[in-house]
Amino acid sequence: MEYDYQFVPVGEQSLNIVFPEVIDAAENRAIQSLARALLDTDEGIIATIPAYHTLTVNFDAFRTSFTELTNKIENVIKNHALLKNDDKKHIIELPVCYDEEFGIDLEAVIKYGKTTFEELVRLHTETPYLIYMMGFMPGFAYMGSVSEKIAMSRLKNPRAKVPAGSVAVAGKQTGMYPIEAPGGWRILGRTPVKLYDPAHPEPRYHAGDHIKFTAISKKDYYYIQKLDLKGSYELKELV
């Protein structure tokens, strides 16, 4: 599958490759594929930052220029057919407790979707979500797409503090708060897994991965939390 794209300079040592402005899994997988391929080249590329419909490329201005690099990227795309729909998935299972103590917006989302608690949990856990991009804060994954029935919009007035581990939705997006932070997403539950540790900042998941939420009881929440704090809990990889 081919996509239209354009190059946009964003600084002396950065450029954006801009694709059609949609939230589309196939397009995002193509962007992730291109990001990995460019890092494998020896073209003065320092880093690649994939997002929903853009790919930021940071480069060494002493080794290449905007014009030179765009020509090289064009060749990579054309010669290696990188913009293809790759259906392979890396799925990570993440436990979530949907107890009302943790899911402070459960009632509002249930009312919005004219559904039940059981149906809401089923809808939120039945499908693996693609991580389109990482951002906002370390370890925060922007994922989609959520069922229309529970795709409630953000709060008009964001909360000053959202507890670490909170799992939430904002329209068709879903994600987890890795640390306590302000936020306006609708909170459905909480994971007992520590999503960000400044002493070990490497995230436990990356853009291009899929997250599969699994509902757990409050008892299991505290049990897993203890294991995770001891460093003896490993996230399951389903694929």
Side-chain angles (χ1 to χ4, degrees), residues 116-127 129 150:
T116 63
F117 168 78
E118 290 77 15
E119 178 69 358
L120 181 152
V121 173
R122 185 189 69 79
L123 289 171
H124 194 243
T125 59
E126 67 180 354
T127 305
Y129 296 107
I150 59 172

Side-chain angles (χ1 to χ4, degrees), residues 54-156:
T54 63
L55 176 61
T56 300
V57 180
N58 298 332
F59 59 89
D60 184 347
F62 291 101
R63 294 184 58 191
T64 188
S65 66
F66 175 84
T67 301
E68 290 174 346
L69 188 55
T70 55
N71 289 334
K72 292 172 182 176
I73 293 173
E74 287 275 15
N75 288 330
V76 171
I77 293 171
K78 292 176 181 178
N79 294 335
H80 298 282
L82 291 164
L83 297 189
K84 61 183 180 179
N85 187 355
D86 185 358
D87 289 328
K88 292 182 180 179
K89 294 181 180 180
H90 178 222
I91 303 175
I92 300 169
E93 185 178 67
L94 188 69
V96 178
C97 180
Y98 292 89
D99 187 88
E100 61 182 6
E101 177 186 343
F102 303 137
I104 54 180
D105 290 314
L106 280 171
E107 185 176 342
V109 178
I110 288 170
K111 184 177 180 180
Y112 166 83
K114 298 178 182 178
T115 185
T116 63
F117 168 78
E118 290 77 15
E119 178 69 358
L120 181 152
V121 173
R122 185 189 69 79
L123 289 171
H124 194 243
T125 59
E126 67 180 354
T127 305
Y129 296 107
L130 171 66
I131 301 178
Y132 283 87
M133 60 180 283
M134 303 289 288
F136 173 45
M137 66 181 77
F140 192 96
Y142 288 86
M143 304 184 293
S145 293
V146 171
S147 166
E148 291 282 2
K149 201 165 186 180
I150 59 172
M152 193 173 184
S153 62
R154 293 174 174 85
L155 294 167
K156 290 183 179 179

